[in-house]
Every structure is written in C-alpha cells, then in structure tokens.
C-alpha cells in the first residue's frame, strides 16, 4: 500500500531555532514529492517541489531533500520565525496511478 | 504563478439542499483536477479525480451520486453536494494539474461547507 508518514505530528520550538520535518514514503516509484504549508482554515500553499531525479530544492530559508532509496524526505527550516507557524504537509505523486498521497502533516508552532 | 480559485469560500446550507462548489484554473489549462475533503486537524482525503470531458474517477468509499463532479472545460470543475447532511460539513479543496513535465499540483483556497 502506498502511504506517506510524517514525523513528528506536532512540534513547538523557540524563535530562531533551525528545525527539520520528516516525511517517509513506502514506495520508491515516485514521480515527485511536494511540501505544502497550510494555515488554519486555509488552502494549501506549495513550498517546494522535488522531482524524482533531484536530491534537493531550496527556497529562501527552506531546504527540502529527497532520498528515494530510503523513502525519505526532510524539510529544513532555518532561523524559524513565529510566522512559520502552520501545518506542513508532505505529498508524494506515485508513478503507479498518478495519485498524490498526502501525509497527515506536522503542526509547527514557533514561539516568539 | 499558477492560480486556482474556488467559489464560494464558505457556504451554509440547510439539510436536504444541494450545494455547488466551483474550481477554476485562472491562468493555465488543467487537464486534470482533483477534489479533496479535509476534516478538522486531519490531512486531505482524495475524493475524486476528474479529467476534462470524461467522467470523474471516485475513490473507494466516496458516493458518486452524492458528490457530483463535472469537468466541463480545461479551466473549470464543479463539485455538487446533493441532499446535504450535517455529516457532509467539511473543508473541500480542489487542485489542478497542469499538463507538462513537473505534474505539480496547484491548490485552491478551499470551501468551508456547513450543513445545518
């Protein structure tokens, strides 16, 4: 079964701290992996998209890595800010069926 | 960047009535659109996948007669919740996939449905 798991489910850190969010997937036959941010009651905002042939992508303070062989991706957030508080979702597009499977998300709270 | 809109952003309806939610890709053509449902503090559950001009493919457990999906054009898909009940109250999000090499999905802002 194609699944996506995110750890931890929730995380609280002080402002300024660097942090890592984890995503694991069960099948290495993926087309791409996408990280999203969701604020309460809002839709999804795409943060980073990593193609299966890529190892990492960077945008500002965000860096996402992809290791297909181990079925893992990490989202690194540098110098966290209170405005980073949100739920971060990992989504994997598997080549079989071309369906995007979402993880349950990590709820991040950055304390001022 | 690619923008997807949804209308309405929130709606309250009475039990037994039907509600239509629109999803539009504003600046690109979407060959495939997806409808998701999200319960509080849970992740997104894929309801159905629709390709322009063909019938939607529903996920297991999703009633196709209750959640009617129409993908009439390359920029518009609609979800109609028929004979709504309070348990249909949820956050509904659509996304659109642009044809191309990245297959990146662009998400709408979501629609909050409350059935009283």
């Amino acid at each position: 079964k194609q699944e996506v798991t995110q750890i931890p489910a929730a995380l609280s850190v002080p402002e300024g701290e660097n942090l890592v969010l984890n995503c694991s997937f069960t099948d290495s036959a993926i087309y791409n992996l996408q990280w999203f941010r969701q604020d309460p009651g809002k839709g999804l905002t795409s943060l980073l998209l990593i193609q299966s042939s890529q190892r990492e992508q960077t945008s500002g303070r965000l860096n996402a890595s992809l290791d297909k062989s181990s079925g893992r991706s990490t989202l690194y957030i540098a110098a966290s800010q209170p405005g980073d508080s949100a739920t971060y979702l990992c989504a994997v597009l598997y080549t079989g069926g071309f369906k995007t499977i979402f993880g349950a998300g990590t709820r991040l709270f950055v304390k001022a | 960047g690619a923008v997807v809109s949804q209308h309405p952003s929130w709606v309250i309806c009475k039990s037994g009535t039907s509600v239509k939610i629109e999803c539009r890709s504003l600046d690109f053509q979407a060959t495939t659109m997806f409808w998701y449902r999200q319960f509080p503090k849970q992740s997104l559950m894929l309801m159905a996948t629709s390709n322009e001009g063909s019938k939607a493919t529903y996920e297991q457990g999703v009633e196709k007669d209750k959640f009617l999906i129409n993908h009439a054009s390359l920029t518009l898909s609609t979800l109609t919740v028929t004979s709504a009940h309070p348990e249909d109250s949820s956050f509904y999000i659509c996304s659109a996939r642009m044809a191309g090499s990245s297959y990146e999905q662009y998400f709408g802002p979501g629609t909050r449905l409350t059935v009283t």
Side-chain angles (χ1 to χ4, degrees):
Chain A
K1 184 180 178 183
Q2 296 170 330
E3 296 180 338
V4 178
T5 304
Q6 289 187 247
I7 296 174
L11 182 63
S12 179
V13 300
E15 182 178 7
E17 195 163 293
N18 302 324
L19 57 100
V20 174
L21 307 182
N22 297 290
C23 172
S24 61
F25 45 95
T26 54
D27 186 346
S28 62
I30 71 170
Y31 198 85
N32 62 40
L33 183 146
Q34 208 165 346
W35 283 93
F36 294 88
R37 168 184 172 141
Q38 185 177 32
D39 293 287
K42 305 290 186 181
L44 274 66
T45 300
S46 179
L47 298 174
L48 290 164
L49 169 72
I50 310 176
Q51 301 293 347
S52 64
S53 59
Q54 299 174 323
R55 297 282 294 183
E56 66 176 349
Q57 283 287 332
T58 298
S59 176
R61 293 183 293 110
L62 305 178
N63 176 276
S65 68
L66 174 64
D67 184 346
K68 283 198 306 179
S69 61
S70 65
R72 293 182 181 178
S73 175
T74 61
L75 178 66
Y76 175 82
I77 302 177
S80 59
Q81 303 170 357
D84 295 330
S85 298
T87 295
Y88 290 81
L89 293 161
C90 169
V92 176
L93 175 59
Y94 286 102
T95 55
F98 276 94
K99 290 181 184 178
T100 296
I101 307 297
F102 281 83
T106 294
R107 281 179 280 118
L108 173 65
F109 179 64
V110 181
K111 298 172 287 186
Chain B
V3 179
V4 175
S5 70
Q6 274 185 247
H7 179 81
S9 55
W10 61 270
V11 58
I12 301 173
C13 70
K14 292 186 178 181
S15 188
T17 62
S18 295
V19 174
K20 180 185 285 188
I21 302 170
E22 290 187 350
C23 176
R24 292 181 184 272
S25 57
L26 298 185
D27 50 3
F28 67 98
Q29 292 186 328
T31 52
T32 306
M33 286 187 170
F34 305 86
W35 286 95
Y36 294 84
R37 181 175 182 176
Q38 187 180 37
F39 291 103
K41 296 186 179 180
Q42 295 188 26
S43 191
L44 281 73
M45 180 191 78
L46 179 64
M47 299 175 66
T49 302
S50 73
N51 293 295
E52 185 264 339
S54 59
K55 290 184 178 180
T57 301
Y58 290 81
E59 294 300 302
Q60 192 173 10
V62 178
E63 298 177 60
K64 62 180 181 180
D65 293 331
K66 181 165 188 62
F67 299 100
L68 300 178
I69 291 172
N70 184 284
H71 194 157
S73 74
L74 287 171
T75 60
L76 173 65
S77 176
T78 60
L79 167 67
T80 301
V81 183
T82 62
S83 187
H85 289 103
E87 57 265 31
D88 298 326
S89 298
S90 190
F91 194 53
Y92 293 87
I93 301 178
C94 75
S95 74
R97 179 181 291 162
M98 192 188 316
S101 60
S102 72
Y103 283 90
E104 186 170 359
Q105 282 187 248
Y106 300 92
F107 283 78
T111 296
R112 172 79 55 194
L113 170 64
T114 301
V115 184
T116 61

